Amino acid sequence: MVHDVALVLGGGGAAGQAWQIGVIAGLAEADLDLTEAADLVIGTSSGSTTAVHVRSGTPAAELLAAVLSSPPVQPVGQHQERPPSLPMATVFERMRAIGAAATSAAELQRAMGAFGLESDAVLGPAAGQRRAMVAARLPHPDWPDRPMIVVAVNAHTGELAAFDRDSGVDLVDAVIASTALPGMAPTHNINGTHYINGGVRSGENTDLASGFANVVVLSPFGGQHRTSPQAGQFEGLRRDPEWGTDLASEVEALRKQGSRVEVITPDADSRAAMGTNQMDPATRIPAARAGHAQGKREAIRVTFL
C-alpha cells in the first residue's frame, strides 16, 4: 500500500456528508480503505464531520451501517425543532450578491464574514443549542492521534483558520466553526475571535494537501458547475478560476507540484439521491446508499493505494 496520502473532504450538507461515508465504505470494500491509508485528512464544512468519523478508528463498513440505521428523519420544515436561521432564499440571494460584488477571493471572504457577524443578531441566541447538536454528532470529543485539519475562516479578517490537534482549540469548537454557514448558523466564538464556515474560502480547500504524493478528493458540490442548480438548491459561492479558489484550479496546482490527484464527485444516481436540498437530514440514508454503490465503481480508477 502506497503512503503519503491526503484525503480531502469537501462541504455538502447532510446529504454530502452521508454520501462521503458511503463512498469511503464502497472503496473500502474494494480494498481501498482510506480510513487506514490516509496520512492526513482535511475536512471543510460538513466534510469536517466526516473527517472526525474517518479518524475515529471505526471501520468504514460500520460508519456506513450507522448512517443507514439512523432513525427516519422528517423532511426539513415538518414539525422539527431546529435552531433559527434566515430564510434559505434570503441567504442564497445574499451570497449571490456578495459573490457578484467581490473582486477577489479575500474580498468575498471578508464580506461573508461581515454577513455572518451581522446575522448573529438573529442567530446568536441559538449558539448553545447548536454546540450541543454538533457535539452529539461526533463519535468522540478529542482530537485523533493521526493528522487531521478542520478548516474555518476568521469572520473578522476573512483569513484561513486551519485547526488541528496542536491549535489549542477543542475538536467540537473546530467543527462548529467549520460548519457555521453565515445566515444559517451563528458565527462561532473561540477565545474572542469569531469564525465562519471553511467553505467560504473554498468548497474543498484542496491546496492544504500540498506536498502529498497522492490526494483523494471527495467533493459533494465539485461537479455542480457543469449544470445550473435546480430550484431551491444550494449552489454555493462564486468560485472564480482567476482567484484559484475553484476545485479545478486547486487540483491543477497540486498536479503541477507533482501530486497525483483523484477527484470523486456525485454521479447521476448520487445527485438524484441527494436531492435539491442537501441540508435536509432526510437525504442522508439515500445519499449514503448511492455513495456506497458509487464508491465500489470508483475503486476501478483510484488505484494508487
Side-chain angles (χ1 to χ4, degrees):
M1 179 178 290
V2 174
H3 293 284
D4 202 12
V5 176
L7 172 62
V8 178
L9 299 165
Q17 193 267 337
W19 171 79
Q20 289 172 336
I21 292 294
V23 170
I24 289 167
L27 291 172
E29 282 191 26
D31 294 325
L32 303 176
D33 189 353
L34 290 170
T35 68
E36 294 292 335
D39 299 291
L40 172 67
V41 180
I42 300 167
T44 296
S45 190
S46 64
S48 67
T49 304
T50 310
V52 177
H53 285 276
V54 168
R55 280 295 194 231
S56 68
T58 305
E62 292 183 22
L63 295 176
L64 176 62
V67 176
L68 297 181
S69 63
S70 299
V73 178
Q74 289 181 321
V76 169
Q78 293 188 11
H79 309 296
Q80 290 187 70
E81 186 175 343
R82 297 174 61 80
S85 65
L86 300 180
M88 292 182 70
T90 300
V91 175
F92 297 168
E93 182 179 356
R94 184 69 176 272
M95 287 183 177
R96 286 192 292 268
I98 289 172
T103 59
S104 68
E107 184 178 332
L108 182 147
Q109 289 158 213
R110 287 193 297 270
M112 283 295 292
F115 174 37
L117 293 168
E118 170 194 324
S119 301
D120 280 350
V122 175
L123 308 179
Q129 180 185 359
R130 185 164 186 273
R131 180 183 178 83
M133 182 176 69
V134 173
R137 294 174 179 166
L138 302 183
H140 51 71
D142 301 318
W143 284 93
D145 293 330
R146 300 182 67 194
M148 181 177 78
I149 294 173
V150 172
V151 186
V153 168
N154 185 311
H156 309 280
T157 66
E159 295 175 327
L160 166 71
F163 298 117
D164 60 20
R165 64 177 293 113
D166 297 321
S167 299
V169 172
D170 287 346
L171 177 61
V172 65
D173 286 307
V175 174
I176 294 169
S178 184
T179 55
L181 185 64
M184 300 187 75
T187 64
H188 191 56
N189 185 348
I190 303 176
N191 299 324
T193 300
H194 291 252
Y195 296 92
I196 58 173
N197 195 296
V200 168
R201 178 180 185 265
S202 162
E204 296 79 22
N205 291 291
T206 306
D207 60 307
L208 298 182
S210 177
F212 279 79
N214 305 289
V215 181
V216 180
V217 184
L218 302 189
S219 174
F221 288 148
Q224 198 162 282
H225 65 280
R226 300 172 188 165
T227 58
S228 298
Q230 295 174 274
Q233 188 173 32
F234 176 63
E235 66 267 39
L237 287 163
R238 174 185 172 192
R239 305 294 182 198
D240 194 321
E242 293 185 3
W243 301 346
T245 56
D246 64 305
L247 178 58
S249 296
E250 292 177 345
V251 169
E252 181 181 6
L254 287 180
R255 287 174 175 161
K256 285 182 177 179
Q257 295 171 16
S259 299
R260 177 172 177 179
V261 185
E262 296 287 355
V263 179
I264 301 177
T265 62
D267 60 15
D269 289 342
S270 291
R271 288 196 301 271
M274 293 165 73
T276 60
N277 180 7
Q278 290 92 332
M279 311 298 176
D280 188 345
T283 61
R284 284 179 52 78
I285 290 177
R289 286 177 175 150
H292 180 228
Q294 183 179 353
K296 290 189 288 186
R297 294 192 294 270
E298 296 284 1
I300 296 173
R301 67 182 181 88
V302 185
T303 57
F304 57 75
L305 300 181

